[in-house]
Amino acid sequence: MRRFPLFASLVALLCAAFFLVPLAATVNFSLRMRRGEISLDAYASVFRDDTFLSVLGFSALASLAAIALGALLVVPTAYWVRLRLPGLRPLTEFLSLMPLIIPPVVLVFGYVRIYGTASVLPLTMSEAGTNLLLVIGYTVLSLPYMYRAVDNGMAAIDIATLTEAAESLGASRLRTIATVIFPNVRSAIMSGAFLTFSISLGEFVITSLLNRPAFGPYLVQMGQDYAYQPAALAIMAFAFTWACMALMDFFATRKPGQGLLPFLRRKSP
């Protein structure tokens, strides 16, 4: 008979407790706004604030834009390096890790310096340009995770054979990437998208220094002014992030032509 993995189970329980105990404590604290009672007053107070939904929507849109931009940059790059330039893989891996070395505050000050008032391209002088810089900043911060996920996905498929098969059928290189490579690394892209969304939603340094109405600075400001509402905001951000991840995973695993409505019709009696 196989022995029960006691040590592995203990390590798993300790890791789970490391994440779940602070989460449970935060949930408990967020329900204690009314002295001596459990209530949802903190959550109701957050929803009564008109700023909450606007900053949450802004952060979600910026995060999704960063996911799209990251996928458009990383997938063709990883594909071309693996297919034609394997000798450059160490260099691309090193460059993809640079955002882990350079602090975000240095990155955003570089953006302001390059794209400020004295620049040829003064992006910080307009709201749309500043939003673009924010999305680029989110993309750069998530680049190590997106590139690693996509590169591992590329390693799991034979991109050379797929490319030769597509080209033998008359597909151009761009069409090969769009219709053959992207679908085959879709799960890897989604893994990178999950991490990108989590990082972007709560990012504070770049967002605050660019003065954007996003969720990170709003959460910090609420923490300075209130006690229970920030705990409620943290729990709602956690739930919102996981809900968005579940939706992205659902639509990523659906076959072409299978949207949400056919799924609901099939599930309904």
Side-chain angles (χ1 to χ4, degrees):
M1 295 179 62
R2 297 182 59 183
R3 297 179 59 185
F4 180 76
L6 179 61
F7 180 73
S9 301
L10 181 62
V11 171
L13 288 175
L14 289 175
C15 292
F18 180 78
F19 291 101
L20 295 179
V21 170
L23 184 64
T26 305
V27 172
N28 180 66
F29 183 76
S30 68
L31 299 175
R32 299 291 180 175
M33 186 174 179
R34 190 178 302 176
R35 185 178 298 275
E37 299 180 21
I38 295 178
S39 67
L40 298 176
D41 291 353
Y43 296 87
S45 176
V46 169
F47 278 108
R48 284 196 297 266
D49 188 2
D50 297 333
T51 309
F52 167 67
L53 293 178
S54 64
V55 298
L56 188 61
F58 179 87
S59 292
L61 289 176
S63 301
L64 293 176
I67 290 172
L69 180 59
L72 290 176
L73 289 175
V74 169
V75 174
T77 302
Y79 165 75
W80 190 253
V81 169
R82 278 194 167 271
L83 184 66
R84 298 298 184 190
L85 303 170
L88 292 181
R89 280 197 63 207
L91 177 61
T92 55
E93 290 181 357
F94 173 76
L95 292 177
S96 69
L97 295 176
M98 288 299 290
L100 298 178
I101 303 172
I102 301 175
V105 65
V106 176
L107 182 67
V108 68
F109 271 114
Y111 287 161
V112 174
R113 180 72 175 175
I114 295 174
Y115 302 106
T117 56
S119 172
V120 179
L121 189 63
L123 294 178
T124 57
M125 299 303 294
S126 65
E127 184 174 348
T130 308
N131 291 339
L132 177 61
L133 281 180
L134 180 66
V135 172
I136 293 174
Y138 287 170
T139 305
V140 171
L141 288 182
S142 61
L143 185 62
Y145 313 101
M146 179 65 80
Y147 182 84
R148 182 61 56 188
V150 171
D151 188 61
N152 291 336
M154 293 279 184
I157 62 176
D158 191 350
I159 60 174
T161 302
L162 290 174
T163 301
E164 292 175 0
E167 290 180 346
S168 66
L169 295 174
S172 63
R173 187 56 56 86
L174 182 60
R175 186 172 182 182
T176 300
I177 295 175
T179 61
V180 178
I181 301 302
F182 261 99
N184 277 280
V185 295
R186 184 171 56 179
S187 59
I189 294 174
M190 291 309 302
S191 299
F194 293 162
L195 294 171
T196 301
F197 192 87
S198 300
I199 293 170
S200 302
L201 188 66
E203 203 284 325
F204 172 74
V205 176
I206 296 178
T207 310
S208 61
L209 292 178
L210 289 178
N211 195 24
R212 293 292 84 204
F215 186 75
Y218 174 76
L219 181 59
V220 172
Q221 184 62 43
M222 290 289 288
Q224 295 175 351
D225 299 336
Y226 301 96
Y228 298 94
Q229 287 86 340
L233 277 172
I235 297 303
M236 286 190 288
F238 178 81
F240 179 74
T241 302
W242 277 96
C244 290
M245 288 180 177
L247 286 174
M248 286 189 291
D249 182 64
F250 172 81
F251 287 109
T253 55
R254 305 300 291 166
K255 296 179 180 179
Q258 288 186 329
L260 183 60
L261 291 178
F263 176 79
L264 293 176
R265 293 194 189 102
R266 190 168 63 252
K267 291 295 183 181
S268 60

